[in-house]
Amino acid sequence: MSDDITPRLALPLLQPGQAQKETTHNEALALLDLAVQASVLAMGTNVPPASPVAGNAWIVGAAPTGGWVGQPRSIAGWTSGGWRFVAARDGMAVWSVADEQVARFGGGAWTLGVLAGSRVSIGGIDVVGAQREAIVEPSGGIVADLEARAAIGAILGALRGHGLISV
């Protein structure tokens, strides 16, 4: 197999005149099978399962043992040819079957269930936007009813401002 690899997923590249090109090609396909639309059974596991099933994958923990030594935080997948690993890169996302959430890799760690963005749009309508100023809670006052109305008005204004309710 060639020592030349792709820069992102470290997929092996074919070489001109290379014998047994199918070996290199099949290795690249096995790694792509792990990385594309990735789904793992569990996250942060350090010990490889005793009886893995071909096609199953895990996110390796920080202190791997056994067949996973040297592959911390990688995606480990079992294939008919043994363990294959895809090194985690910033921006990678996988579905964690056990947690029923998306995990994302960034800053050297996997984060489970955290979504980041600047807005949420449903059907072309922004329903959540940037966070606005805090609403001052009513305090004191002679007429509590006026303060309650003012607080409710501020809440409604904030909800409208975020697009959570219509104007």
Side-chain angles (χ1 to χ4, degrees), residues 83-143:
W83 290 110
R84 299 289 188 277
F85 300 95
V86 174
R89 294 181 53 93
D90 283 351
M92 285 183 105
V94 301
W95 178 256
S96 173
V97 174
D99 301 297
E100 295 185 350
Q101 296 182 45
V102 173
R104 295 190 184 281
F105 188 81
W110 288 97
T111 305
L112 183 64
V114 175
L115 300 177
S118 58
R119 66 182 196 182
V120 175
S121 178
I122 297 175
I125 299 171
D126 287 351
V127 294
V128 177
Q131 189 175 41
R132 298 199 176 189
E133 293 179 23
I135 298 169
V136 179
E137 292 185 31
S139 63
I142 299 171
V143 183

Side-chain angles (χ1 to χ4, degrees), residues 15 67 114 149:
Q15 296 299 306
V114 175
R149 283 191 207 138

